[in-house]
Amino acid sequence: MNIKDIANLAGVSPSTVSKIVNNKDESISAETRQRVLDIVKEYHYSPYAQATATVKTTYLLAVLLNTPLVHDSTLDGILAVAQENDYQVLIFNAYGSQKQELKNISIAISSGASGIIWEPVSAKNEQGQSLLKQAAVSIVTIGTFGNQKSLSTTYRLAAYKLTQSLVDQHHTKIACLMDSGRRTEEFLQGYKECLFDNNIYFENDMVFSEVSEVLISQINAHRVSGVVSSHYHKATEFAEWMRTRSVRIPKDVSLVSIRDDSADTLFAFTPQPLSTITIRNADYGRSACETIIKYIEEKDDTAGDAVPDLHLDNTDTIAAPYELSQSRVVVVGSINVDTYLSVASLPETGQTTSISASEDIPGGRGVNQAIGVALLEKPVILIGKTGSDAESDHIHQELDKYNVTTQGITRMDHINTGKAYIYIAQSGNSTISLIPGANNYVTAEYLEERRQLFQNCKYCLIQSEIPMDGVEKACDIAHAAGAKTIFKPSTLKEIPKSLLAKIDIILPNIDELNELQPGSGSLVGKAKLLLESGVKTVIVTMGSDGSFLVTQDIQQQFPVAAFPLIDNTAASDAFISALAVYLMDGYDLIKAIRIATYAAGFCIAREGSSTSLIDRKSLEAYIRQQAPELLAK
């Protein structure tokens, strides 16, 4: 604080201030003199001659706070370190007032403090910053508008560990609940880093600043399975909202939070202990004080700021996601970007074909079947691989939209997401060309690492667009979990006998059956050869001729459902998805096939792959009109 600053505050000239403080004020009114002296006292202003005689007290620190610390141990940590290092401490509190803050800065400087720990009232305090710069005093800023690295690192790591605790329980739909404060930015960064490291797509609309009906609806729809909270009082508020709405923690939604020793923690109440990482503000205070002393004494500390040990105090409010505790379908298969090419007729050798339209949409049999199951209202997990390209982002967004659990999907660096080029003729028939990309890396080892995802699996849907060792491993893990396997062969000329023995239901189309069992035998005869190799059930799809079931006891044809043929690309995926869902629901095989036939019918009447699949309400509403007896178990 200099003479010009005092003059500005008093509304007089610098010469008037000089006269008053140097007792040369005979010509100045008593009222002006008193006003200037009050400001001089208020801001502890010293004339230049006195100020130059003031030597900074080497072992004196000033702490300039902004918020009440009655229930916050930050100051305890500062005092402990100061006393350990034989420093005296002056303590000030602005209580949110910039005017008071400026006074506190002036007093701290005039007192000769060698270092100042400052919690700024706001991001804008040019006058205070200027005073500190002129005084050439060591400064550590803390709080919402501070930059103390140890605090930032601590909250970032705490957020990372809290998020990881949910990921370890196979959560992928993790919301971040935050309040404003000194930890907010770093907490969000730690949350994002953990999602990225675990190949989970970050979405802005999964970050909430308050407990709202939007968040509640996301939880009720199972689009949020876990919540990470930056403040304990927010976590307790969230827990109370869940209690009043009969949402069970952690059965329906998991909750983790930071806990500290501030007032909002001490007086917060929750009927059950929350899973928390405790951060003592005293540790933060210690770090800030250690840093300022290091600056004052010019110590070289190559070890950097110390970070407290961070660990969960308990796991009482953490459990596996809701969908993992329910009977569910696991889909192991290809994840592609499908490029649809509309043509007058399918390409033939030596013929040039004109493309009238093209469109890129998420696809692949794995994606199609997973979305098909989700639309039929069964929990479903998709296991596969994508690249780290822009297409993979689109696929994750699409799967999230349909509520498909993506914990089993990994993004691969330097590998492209699989691609499929699908020619659609005006007749509705199609041909497909594949570039496997990341699908080639869905190996037995990869699936073994994800064995836990098969917990509570009742049906496992597998396709041959991944390596054969992956297909066989998926069958092994599914059977070990008590699930049945449904296998769709494509692009195969033969299937190892070791694999056939592990397939409960195989669904080739007529062309695929003839590839697998070449020769002039009948459909039934070829299907029986598959049964003799260990397959339990064979269902052959035959386009407009419907499908044919062959088991040891049954041989039965099922007519096609009466739908116009627009695009048959995903018809078998729609059939398989519905077959698995209705078998899970206790329908016998005959009824499940008939229902699946209707699902395939809806699919061929629409363009696209995943976009052509039918939802349960629409499917059953149609069946009630056409064949209501099918829905009776």
Side-chain angles (χ1 to χ4, degrees), residues 424-440:
I424 303 293
Q426 291 177 354
S427 64
N429 292 318
S430 62
T431 62
I432 304 174
S433 299
L434 295 175
I435 301 176
N439 294 312
N440 269 343

Side-chain angles (χ1 to χ4, degrees), residues 171-174 191 195 199-206 218 221-225 323 362 367 370-371 374-375 380-382 392-409 411 610:
H171 288 268
T172 57
K173 305 163 189 175
I174 304 171
Y191 163 76
L195 295 184
N199 298 294
I200 300 173
Y201 183 78
F202 168 74
E203 298 177 87
N204 284 316
D205 59 6
M206 290 289 273
Q218 292 287 75
H222 303 300
R223 297 187 184 281
V224 169
S225 65
E323 61 266 24
V367 169
I371 291 176
L375 284 170
V380 58
I381 295 173
L382 176 58
S392 69
D393 290 341
H394 187 196
I395 289 167
H396 275 268
Q397 291 171 356
E398 194 75 3
L399 293 171
D400 287 342
K401 181 174 76 175
Y402 289 105
N403 207 25
V404 174
T405 299
T406 56
Q407 179 67 37
I409 300 176
R411 301 175 194 244
S610 60

